[in-house]
Amino acid sequence: MQTLKEYREMKGVKLCAVAEHLGISRQTYRECEKRQGSMSVDRARAVCDFLGCSFDQIFLPTKDSKTNIIEELEEP
């Protein structure tokens, strides 16, 4: 699972371009990237549409990431 920031940077899209598309400030969008789990579903979908990725790709854990989380929880 990639983060929004990782995907945006991989695509070569500037933070200000996403913020402008969403109609929010750069600072607000920067916070969205830092705390992407607290973003509204509508805003998350709008970002994914703009970046050309699927919602699942960014916001839903993959089988591997679920396994890693479970392993971390099981460690003493």
Side-chain angles (χ1 to χ4, degrees):
M1 178 171 79
Q2 290 181 308
T3 65
L4 279 174
K5 182 179 180 180
E6 290 169 342
Y7 195 83
R8 176 182 57 76
E9 289 176 344
M10 181 187 76
K11 296 284 278 186
V13 177
K14 295 196 178 281
L15 184 138
C16 60
V18 181
E20 185 177 315
H21 175 75
L22 296 174
I24 59 177
S25 70
R26 290 181 313 186
Q27 295 82 1
T28 299
Y29 182 69
R30 185 177 294 121
E31 283 301 312
C32 288
E33 283 190 343
K34 286 181 182 177
R35 300 180 12 207
Q36 71 183 39
S38 64
M39 194 183 307
S40 73
V41 172
D42 289 338
R43 183 170 283 172
R45 288 191 188 280
V47 172
C48 290
D49 289 344
F50 183 74
L51 293 176
C53 62
S54 71
F55 180 85
D56 298 357
Q57 188 175 354
I58 302 296
F59 291 95
L60 297 179
T62 62
K63 182 179 178 184
D64 291 339
S65 65
K66 286 180 189 175
T67 301
N68 291 339
I69 291 168
I70 291 169
E71 288 172 356
E72 289 173 13
L73 292 173
E74 291 176 346
E75 289 181 4

mmCIF file with all atom_site columns, all heavy atoms in Angstrom, residues 18-40:
data_model
loop_
_atom_site.group_PDB
_atom_site.id
_atom_site.type_symbol
_atom_site.label_atom_id
_atom_site.label_alt_id
_atom_site.label_comp_id
_atom_site.label_asym_id
_atom_site.label_entity_id
_atom_site.label_seq_id
_atom_site.pdbx_PDB_ins_code
_atom_site.Cartn_x
_atom_site.Cartn_y
_atom_site.Cartn_z
_atom_site.occupancy
_atom_site.B_iso_or_equiv
_atom_site.pdbx_formal_charge
_atom_site.auth_seq_id
_atom_site.auth_comp_id
_atom_site.auth_asym_id
_atom_site.auth_atom_id
_atom_site.pdbx_PDB_model_num
ATOM 1   N N   . VAL A 1 18 ? -2.647  19.422 -6.460  1.00 0.00 ? 18 VAL A N   1
ATOM 2   C CA  . VAL A 1 18 ? -3.732  18.638 -5.860  1.00 0.00 ? 18 VAL A CA  1
ATOM 3   C C   . VAL A 1 18 ? -4.603  19.543 -4.999  1.00 0.00 ? 18 VAL A C   1
ATOM 4   O O   . VAL A 1 18 ? -5.831  19.490 -5.064  1.00 0.00 ? 18 VAL A O   1
ATOM 5   C CB  . VAL A 1 18 ? -3.184  17.455 -5.029  1.00 0.00 ? 18 VAL A CB  1
ATOM 6   C CG1 . VAL A 1 18 ? -4.332  16.638 -4.443  1.00 0.00 ? 18 VAL A CG1 1
ATOM 7   C CG2 . VAL A 1 18 ? -2.278  16.573 -5.862  1.00 0.00 ? 18 VAL A CG2 1
ATOM 8   N N   . ALA A 1 19 ? -3.952  20.397 -4.201  1.00 0.00 ? 19 ALA A N   1
ATOM 9   C CA  . ALA A 1 19 ? -4.699  21.317 -3.339  1.00 0.00 ? 19 ALA A CA  1
ATOM 10  C C   . ALA A 1 19 ? -5.616  22.218 -4.168  1.00 0.00 ? 19 ALA A C   1
ATOM 11  O O   . ALA A 1 19 ? -6.786  22.407 -3.831  1.00 0.00 ? 19 ALA A O   1
ATOM 12  C CB  . ALA A 1 19 ? -3.736  22.148 -2.503  1.00 0.00 ? 19 ALA A CB  1
ATOM 13  N N   . GLU A 1 20 ? -5.077  22.747 -5.269  1.00 0.00 ? 20 GLU A N   1
ATOM 14  C CA  . GLU A 1 20 ? -5.874  23.618 -6.135  1.00 0.00 ? 20 GLU A CA  1
ATOM 15  C C   . GLU A 1 20 ? -7.063  22.859 -6.725  1.00 0.00 ? 20 GLU A C   1
ATOM 16  O O   . GLU A 1 20 ? -8.182  23.372 -6.771  1.00 0.00 ? 20 GLU A O   1
ATOM 17  C CB  . GLU A 1 20 ? -4.998  24.177 -7.252  1.00 0.00 ? 20 GLU A CB  1
ATOM 18  C CG  . GLU A 1 20 ? -5.708  25.175 -8.132  1.00 0.00 ? 20 GLU A CG  1
ATOM 19  C CD  . GLU A 1 20 ? -4.781  25.772 -9.179  1.00 0.00 ? 20 GLU A CD  1
ATOM 20  O OE1 . GLU A 1 20 ? -3.651  26.140 -8.827  1.00 0.00 ? 20 GLU A OE1 1
ATOM 21  O OE2 . GLU A 1 20 ? -5.212  25.843 -10.346 1.00 0.00 ? 20 GLU A OE2 1
ATOM 22  N N   . HIS A 1 21 ? -6.827  21.627 -7.151  1.00 0.00 ? 21 HIS A N   1
ATOM 23  C CA  . HIS A 1 21 ? -7.908  20.808 -7.707  1.00 0.00 ? 21 HIS A CA  1
ATOM 24  C C   . HIS A 1 21 ? -9.025  20.596 -6.686  1.00 0.00 ? 21 HIS A C   1
ATOM 25  O O   . HIS A 1 21 ? -10.205 20.611 -7.027  1.00 0.00 ? 21 HIS A O   1
ATOM 26  C CB  . HIS A 1 21 ? -7.356  19.462 -8.172  1.00 0.00 ? 21 HIS A CB  1
ATOM 27  C CG  . HIS A 1 21 ? -8.403  18.506 -8.636  1.00 0.00 ? 21 HIS A CG  1
ATOM 28  N ND1 . HIS A 1 21 ? -9.048  18.637 -9.853  1.00 0.00 ? 21 HIS A ND1 1
ATOM 29  C CD2 . HIS A 1 21 ? -8.946  17.414 -8.034  1.00 0.00 ? 21 HIS A CD2 1
ATOM 30  C CE1 . HIS A 1 21 ? -9.937  17.673 -9.979  1.00 0.00 ? 21 HIS A CE1 1
ATOM 31  N NE2 . HIS A 1 21 ? -9.886  16.914 -8.889  1.00 0.00 ? 21 HIS A NE2 1
ATOM 32  N N   . LEU A 1 22 ? -8.637  20.411 -5.436  1.00 0.00 ? 22 LEU A N   1
ATOM 33  C CA  . LEU A 1 22 ? -9.624  20.177 -4.378  1.00 0.00 ? 22 LEU A CA  1
ATOM 34  C C   . LEU A 1 22 ? -10.250 21.465 -3.857  1.00 0.00 ? 22 LEU A C   1
ATOM 35  O O   . LEU A 1 22 ? -11.245 21.423 -3.128  1.00 0.00 ? 22 LEU A O   1
ATOM 36  C CB  . LEU A 1 22 ? -8.968  19.434 -3.210  1.00 0.00 ? 22 LEU A CB  1
ATOM 37  C CG  . LEU A 1 22 ? -8.450  18.033 -3.498  1.00 0.00 ? 22 LEU A CG  1
ATOM 38  C CD1 . LEU A 1 22 ? -7.700  17.486 -2.289  1.00 0.00 ? 22 LEU A CD1 1
ATOM 39  C CD2 . LEU A 1 22 ? -9.582  17.103 -3.892  1.00 0.00 ? 22 LEU A CD2 1
ATOM 40  N N   . GLY A 1 23 ? -9.640  22.605 -4.175  1.00 0.00 ? 23 GLY A N   1
ATOM 41  C CA  . GLY A 1 23 ? -10.149 23.887 -3.685  1.00 0.00 ? 23 GLY A CA  1
ATOM 42  C C   . GLY A 1 23 ? -9.797  24.142 -2.233  1.00 0.00 ? 23 GLY A C   1
ATOM 43  O O   . GLY A 1 23 ? -10.565 24.780 -1.513  1.00 0.00 ? 23 GLY A O   1
ATOM 44  N N   . ILE A 1 24 ? -8.629  23.641 -1.804  1.00 0.00 ? 24 ILE A N   1
ATOM 45  C CA  . ILE A 1 24 ? -8.173  23.834 -0.432  1.00 0.00 ? 24 ILE A CA  1
ATOM 46  C C   . ILE A 1 24 ? -6.751  24.395 -0.458  1.00 0.00 ? 24 ILE A C   1
ATOM 47  O O   . ILE A 1 24 ? -6.086  24.392 -1.495  1.00 0.00 ? 24 ILE A O   1
ATOM 48  C CB  . ILE A 1 24 ? -8.220  22.522 0.389   1.00 0.00 ? 24 ILE A CB  1
ATOM 49  C CG1 . ILE A 1 24 ? -7.343  21.434 -0.249  1.00 0.00 ? 24 ILE A CG1 1
ATOM 50  C CG2 . ILE A 1 24 ? -9.661  22.042 0.533   1.00 0.00 ? 24 ILE A CG2 1
ATOM 51  C CD1 . ILE A 1 24 ? -7.284  20.129 0.544   1.00 0.00 ? 24 ILE A CD1 1
ATOM 52  N N   . SER A 1 25 ? -6.285  24.846 0.689   1.00 0.00 ? 25 SER A N   1
ATOM 53  C CA  . SER A 1 25 ? -4.926  25.391 0.759   1.00 0.00 ? 25 SER A CA  1
ATOM 54  C C   . SER A 1 25 ? -3.890  24.274 0.715   1.00 0.00 ? 25 SER A C   1
ATOM 55  O O   . SER A 1 25 ? -4.203  23.107 0.990   1.00 0.00 ? 25 SER A O   1
ATOM 56  C CB  . SER A 1 25 ? -4.745  26.196 2.052   1.00 0.00 ? 25 SER A CB  1
ATOM 57  O OG  . SER A 1 25 ? -4.727  25.332 3.173   1.00 0.00 ? 25 SER A OG  1
ATOM 58  N N   . ARG A 1 26 ? -2.661  24.643 0.372   1.00 0.00 ? 26 ARG A N   1
ATOM 59  C CA  . ARG A 1 26 ? -1.569  23.660 0.375   1.00 0.00 ? 26 ARG A CA  1
ATOM 60  C C   . ARG A 1 26 ? -1.380  23.073 1.766   1.00 0.00 ? 26 ARG A C   1
ATOM 61  O O   . ARG A 1 26 ? -1.132  21.887 1.920   1.00 0.00 ? 26 ARG A O   1
ATOM 62  C CB  . ARG A 1 26 ? -0.263  24.305 -0.079  1.00 0.00 ? 26 ARG A CB  1
ATOM 63  C CG  . ARG A 1 26 ? -0.233  24.656 -1.536  1.00 0.00 ? 26 ARG A CG  1
ATOM 64  C CD  . ARG A 1 26 ? 1.077   25.261 -1.906  1.00 0.00 ? 26 ARG A CD  1
ATOM 65  N NE  . ARG A 1 26 ? 1.428   26.284 -0.913  1.00 0.00 ? 26 ARG A NE  1
ATOM 66  C CZ  . ARG A 1 26 ? 2.460   27.084 -0.994  1.00 0.00 ? 26 ARG A CZ  1
ATOM 67  N NH1 . ARG A 1 26 ? 3.259   27.022 -2.003  1.00 0.00 ? 26 ARG A NH1 1
ATOM 68  N NH2 . ARG A 1 26 ? 2.692   27.978 -0.070  1.00 0.00 ? 26 ARG A NH2 1
ATOM 69  N N   . GLN A 1 27 ? -1.484  23.925 2.777   1.00 0.00 ? 27 GLN A N   1
ATOM 70  C CA  . GLN A 1 27 ? -1.300  23.461 4.152   1.00 0.00 ? 27 GLN A CA  1
ATOM 71  C C   . GLN A 1 27 ? -2.358  22.430 4.532   1.00 0.00 ? 27 GLN A C   1
ATOM 72  O O   . GLN A 1 27 ? -2.052  21.433 5.186   1.00 0.00 ? 27 GLN A O   1
ATOM 73  C CB  . GLN A 1 27 ? -1.336  24.642 5.144   1.00 0.00 ? 27 GLN A CB  1
ATOM 74  C CG  . GLN A 1 27 ? -0.198  25.607 4.980   1.00 0.00 ? 27 GLN A CG  1
ATOM 75  C CD  . GLN A 1 27 ? -0.414  26.627 3.861   1.00 0.00 ? 27 GLN A CD  1
ATOM 76  O OE1 . GLN A 1 27 ? -1.446  26.649 3.183   1.00 0.00 ? 27 GLN A OE1 1
ATOM 77  N NE2 . GLN A 1 27 ? 0.576   27.472 3.629   1.00 0.00 ? 27 GLN A NE2 1
ATOM 78  N N   . THR A 1 28 ? -3.593  22.675 4.116   1.00 0.00 ? 28 THR A N   1
ATOM 79  C CA  . THR A 1 28 ? -4.670  21.733 4.416   1.00 0.00 ? 28 THR A CA  1
ATOM 80  C C   . THR A 1 28 ? -4.420  20.406 3.716   1.00 0.00 ? 28 THR A C   1
ATOM 81  O O   . THR A 1 28 ? -4.560  19.339 4.313   1.00 0.00 ? 28 THR A O   1
ATOM 82  C CB  . THR A 1 28 ? -6.039  22.307 4.005   1.00 0.00 ? 28 THR A CB  1
ATOM 83  O OG1 . THR A 1 28 ? -6.270  23.508 4.747   1.00 0.00 ? 28 THR A OG1 1
ATOM 84  C CG2 . THR A 1 28 ? -7.158  21.315 4.266   1.00 0.00 ? 28 THR A CG2 1
ATOM 85  N N   . TYR A 1 29 ? -3.998  20.476 2.441   1.00 0.00 ? 29 TYR A N   1
ATOM 86  C CA  . TYR A 1 29 ? -3.738  19.225 1.736   1.00 0.00 ? 29 TYR A CA  1
ATOM 87  C C   . TYR A 1 29 ? -2.518  18.504 2.322   1.00 0.00 ? 29 TYR A C   1
ATOM 88  O O   . TYR A 1 29 ? -2.510  17.284 2.421   1.00 0.00 ? 29 TYR A O   1
ATOM 89  C CB  . TYR A 1 29 ? -3.561  19.420 0.229   1.00 0.00 ? 29 TYR A CB  1
ATOM 90  C CG  . TYR A 1 29 ? -3.347  18.089 -0.428  1.00 0.00 ? 29 TYR A CG  1
ATOM 91  C CD1 . TYR A 1 29 ? -4.390  17.174 -0.496  1.00 0.00 ? 29 TYR A CD1 1
ATOM 92  C CD2 . TYR A 1 29 ? -2.096  17.694 -0.881  1.00 0.00 ? 29 TYR A CD2 1
ATOM 93  C CE1 . TYR A 1 29 ? -4.194  15.904 -1.026  1.00 0.00 ? 29 TYR A CE1 1
ATOM 94  C CE2 . TYR A 1 29 ? -1.895  16.441 -1.409  1.00 0.00 ? 29 TYR A CE2 1
ATOM 95  C CZ  . TYR A 1 29 ? -2.942  15.554 -1.480  1.00 0.00 ? 29 TYR A CZ  1
ATOM 96  O OH  . TYR A 1 29 ? -2.751  14.292 -1.977  1.00 0.00 ? 29 TYR A OH  1
ATOM 97  N N   . ARG A 1 30 ? -1.512  19.249 2.739   1.00 0.00 ? 30 ARG A N   1
ATOM 98  C CA  . ARG A 1 30 ? -0.337  18.631 3.371   1.00 0.00 ? 30 ARG A CA  1
ATOM 99  C C   . ARG A 1 30 ? -0.776  17.827 4.605   1.00 0.00 ? 30 ARG A C   1
ATOM 100 O O   . ARG A 1 30 ? -0.312  16.716 4.832   1.00 0.00 ? 30 ARG A O   1
ATOM 101 C CB  . ARG A 1 30 ? 0.689   19.689 3.757   1.00 0.00 ? 30 ARG A CB  1
ATOM 102 C CG  . ARG A 1 30 ? 1.973   19.096 4.308   1.00 0.00 ? 30 ARG A CG  1
ATOM 103 C CD  . ARG A 1 30 ? 3.027   20.139 4.623   1.00 0.00 ? 30 ARG A CD  1
ATOM 104 N NE  . ARG A 1 30 ? 3.479   20.783 3.407   1.00 0.00 ? 30 ARG A NE  1
ATOM 105 C CZ  . ARG A 1 30 ? 3.392   22.100 3.166   1.00 0.00 ? 30 ARG A CZ  1
ATOM 106 N NH1 . ARG A 1 30 ? 2.864   22.897 4.067   1.00 0.00 ? 30 ARG A NH1 1
ATOM 107 N NH2 . ARG A 1 30 ? 3.828   22.610 2.044   1.00 0.00 ? 30 ARG A NH2 1
ATOM 108 N N   . GLU A 1 31 ? -1.687  18.392 5.376   1.00 0.00 ? 31 GLU A N   1
ATOM 109 C CA  . GLU A 1 31 ? -2.215  17.670 6.547   1.00 0.00 ? 31 GLU A CA  1
ATOM 110 C C   . GLU A 1 31 ? -2.994  16.426 6.119   1.00 0.00 ? 31 GLU A C   1
ATOM 111 O O   . GLU A 1 31 ? -2.950  15.401 6.794   1.00 0.00 ? 31 GLU A O   1
ATOM 112 C CB  . GLU A 1 31 ? -3.104  18.588 7.398   1.00 0.00 ? 31 GLU A CB  1
ATOM 113 C CG  . GLU A 1 31 ? -2.334  19.568 8.244   1.00 0.00 ? 31 GLU A CG  1
ATOM 114 C CD  . GLU A 1 31 ? -1.386  18.881 9.212   1.00 0.00 ? 31 GLU A CD  1
ATOM 115 O OE1 . GLU A 1 31 ? -1.791  17.926 9.918   1.00 0.00 ? 31 GLU A OE1 1
ATOM 116 O OE2 . GLU A 1 31 ? -0.212  19.302 9.271   1.00 0.00 ? 31 GLU A OE2 1
ATOM 117 N N   . CYS A 1 32 ? -3.707  16.519 5.008   1.00 0.00 ? 32 CYS A N   1
ATOM 118 C CA  . CYS A 1 32 ? -4.428  15.349 4.490   1.00 0.00 ? 32 CYS A CA  1
ATOM 119 C C   . CYS A 1 32 ? -3.455  14.217 4.189   1.00 0.00 ? 32 CYS A C   1
ATOM 120 O O   . CYS A 1 32 ? -3.737  13.056 4.477   1.00 0.00 ? 32 CYS A O   1
ATOM 121 C CB  . CYS A 1 32 ? -5.202  15.704 3.223   1.00 0.00 ? 32 CYS A CB  1
ATOM 122 S SG  . CYS A 1 32 ? -6.650  16.738 3.478   1.00 0.00 ? 32 CYS A SG  1
ATOM 123 N N   . GLU A 1 33 ? -2.314  14.559 3.602   1.00 0.00 ? 33 GLU A N   1
ATOM 124 C CA  . GLU A 1 33 ? -1.323  13.531 3.296   1.00 0.00 ? 33 GLU A CA  1
ATOM 125 C C   . GLU A 1 33 ? -0.712  12.953 4.569   1.00 0.00 ? 33 GLU A C   1
ATOM 126 O O   . GLU A 1 33 ? -0.455  11.757 4.636   1.00 0.00 ? 33 GLU A O   1
ATOM 127 C CB  . GLU A 1 33 ? -0.210  14.096 2.404   1.00 0.00 ? 33 GLU A CB  1
ATOM 128 C CG  . GLU A 1 33 ? -0.608  14.253 0.979   1.00 0.00 ? 33 GLU A CG  1
ATOM 129 C CD  . GLU A 1 33 ? 0.537   14.584 0.055   1.00 0.00 ? 33 GLU A CD  1
ATOM 130 O OE1 . GLU A 1 33 ? 1.620   15.008 0.526   1.00 0.00 ? 33 GLU A OE1 1
ATOM 131 O OE2 . GLU A 1 33 ? 0.359   14.426 -1.155  1.00 0.00 ? 33 GLU A OE2 1
ATOM 132 N N   . LYS A 1 34 ? -0.495  13.792 5.549   1.00 0.00 ? 34 LYS A N   1
ATOM 133 C CA  . LYS A 1 34 ? 0.099   13.314 6.810   1.00 0.00 ? 34 LYS A CA  1
ATOM 134 C C   . LYS A 1 34 ? -0.871  12.403 7.566   1.00 0.00 ? 34 LYS A C   1
ATOM 135 O O   . LYS A 1 34 ? -0.453  11.449 8.205   1.00 0.00 ? 34 LYS A O   1
ATOM 136 C CB  . LYS A 1 34 ? 0.482   14.487 7.706   1.00 0.00 ? 34 LYS A CB  1
ATOM 137 C CG  . LYS A 1 34 ? 1.696   15.232 7.244   1.00 0.00 ? 34 LYS A CG  1
ATOM 138 C CD  . LYS A 1 34 ? 2.013   16.359 8.203   1.00 0.00 ? 34 LYS A CD  1
ATOM 139 C CE  . LYS A 1 34 ? 3.196   17.157 7.736   1.00 0.00 ? 34 LYS A CE  1
ATOM 140 N NZ  . LYS A 1 34 ? 3.476   18.292 8.628   1.00 0.00 ? 34 LYS A NZ  1
ATOM 141 N N   . ARG A 1 35 ? -2.150  12.737 7.495   1.00 0.00 ? 35 ARG A N   1
ATOM 142 C CA  . ARG A 1 35 ? -3.168  11.979 8.231   1.00 0.00 ? 35 ARG A CA  1
ATOM 143 C C   . ARG A 1 35 ? -4.244  11.504 7.263   1.00 0.00 ? 35 ARG A C   1
ATOM 144 O O   . ARG A 1 35 ? -5.419  11.802 7.424   1.00 0.00 ? 35 ARG A O   1
ATOM 145 C CB  . ARG A 1 35 ? -3.765  12.868 9.314   1.00 0.00 ? 35 ARG A CB  1
ATOM 146 C CG  . ARG A 1 35 ? -2.752  13.359 10.320  1.00 0.00 ? 35 ARG A CG  1
ATOM 147 C CD  . ARG A 1 35 ? -3.334  14.235 11.394  1.00 0.00 ? 35 ARG A CD  1
ATOM 148 N NE  . ARG A 1 35 ? -4.791  14.212 11.422  1.00 0.00 ? 35 ARG A NE  1
ATOM 149 C CZ  . ARG A 1 35 ? -5.534  15.197 11.857  1.00 0.00 ? 35 ARG A CZ  1
ATOM 150 N NH1 . ARG A 1 35 ? -5.003  16.287 12.285  1.00 0.00 ? 35 ARG A NH1 1
ATOM 151 N NH2 . ARG A 1 35 ? -6.842  15.108 11.869  1.00 0.00 ? 35 ARG A NH2 1
ATOM 152 N N   . GLN A 1 36 ? -3.831  10.738 6.257   1.00 0.00 ? 36 GLN A N   1
ATOM 153 C CA  . GLN A 1 36 ? -4.760  10.381 5.198   1.00 0.00 ? 36 GLN A CA  1
ATOM 154 C C   . GLN A 1 36 ? -5.925  9.533  5.678   1.00 0.00 ? 36 GLN A C   1
ATOM 155 O O   . GLN A 1 36 ? -6.973  9.520  5.064   1.00 0.00 ? 36 GLN A O   1
ATOM 156 C CB  . GLN A 1 36 ? -4.042  9.729  4.020   1.00 0.00 ? 36 GLN A CB  1
ATOM 157 C CG  . GLN A 1 36 ? -3.510  8.354  4.260   1.00 0.00 ? 36 GLN A CG  1
ATOM 158 C CD  . GLN A 1 36 ? -2.749  7.840  3.046   1.00 0.00 ? 36 GLN A CD  1
ATOM 159 O OE1 . GLN A 1 36 ? -2.024  8.566  2.380   1.00 0.00 ? 36 GLN A OE1 1
ATOM 160 N NE2 . GLN A 1 36 ? -2.935  6.578  2.755   1.00 0.00 ? 36 GLN A NE2 1
ATOM 161 N N   . GLY A 1 37 ? -5.774  8.862  6.804   1.00 0.00 ? 37 GLY A N   1
ATOM 162 C CA  . GLY A 1 37 ? -6.870  8.068  7.347   1.00 0.00 ? 37 GLY A CA  1
ATOM 163 C C   . GLY A 1 37 ? -8.015  8.898  7.879   1.00 0.00 ? 37 GLY A C   1
ATOM 164 O O   . GLY A 1 37 ? -9.123  8.399  8.064   1.00 0.00 ? 37 GLY A O   1
ATOM 165 N N   . SER A 1 38 ? -7.774  10.183 8.111   1.00 0.00 ? 38 SER A N   1
ATOM 166 C CA  . SER A 1 38 ? -8.837  11.043 8.630   1.00 0.00 ? 38 SER A CA  1
ATOM 167 C C   . SER A 1 38 ? -9.530  11.840 7.529   1.00 0.00 ? 38 SER A C   1
ATOM 168 O O   . SER A 1 38 ? -10.443 12.611 7.796   1.00 0.00 ? 38 SER A O   1
ATOM 169 C CB  . SER A 1 38 ? -8.261  12.003 9.677   1.00 0.00 ? 38 SER A CB  1
ATOM 170 O OG  . SER A 1 38 ? -7.321  12.871 9.076   1.00 0.00 ? 38 SER A OG  1
ATOM 171 N N   . MET A 1 39 ? -9.126  11.636 6.287   1.00 0.00 ? 39 MET A N   1
ATOM 172 C CA  . MET A 1 39 ? -9.713  12.339 5.149   1.00 0.00 ? 39 MET A CA  1
ATOM 173 C C   . MET A 1 39 ? -11.109 11.787 4.861   1.00 0.00 ? 39 MET A C   1
ATOM 174 O O   . MET A 1 39 ? -11.354 10.597 5.008   1.00 0.00 ? 39 MET A O   1
ATOM 175 C CB  . MET A 1 39 ? -8.806  12.128 3.930   1.00 0.00 ? 39 MET A CB  1
ATOM 176 C CG  . MET A 1 39 ? -9.082  13.045 2.789   1.00 0.00 ? 39 MET A CG  1
ATOM 177 S SD  . MET A 1 39 ? -8.056  12.720 1.330   1.00 0.00 ? 39 MET A SD  1
ATOM 178 C CE  . MET A 1 39 ? -6.431  12.734 1.990   1.00 0.00 ? 39 MET A CE  1
ATOM 179 N N   . SER A 1 40 ? -12.011 12.657 4.445   1.00 0.00 ? 40 SER A N   1
ATOM 180 C CA  . SER A 1 40 ? -13.351 12.188 4.082   1.00 0.00 ? 40 SER A CA  1
ATOM 181 C C   . SER A 1 40 ? -13.262 11.294 2.844   1.00 0.00 ? 40 SER A C   1
ATOM 182 O O   . SER A 1 40 ? -12.347 11.424 2.030   1.00 0.00 ? 40 SER A O   1
ATOM 183 C CB  . SER A 1 40 ? -14.278 13.373 3.788   1.00 0.00 ? 40 SER A CB  1
ATOM 184 O OG  . SER A 1 40 ? -13.950 13.963 2.548   1.00 0.00 ? 40 SER A OG  1
#
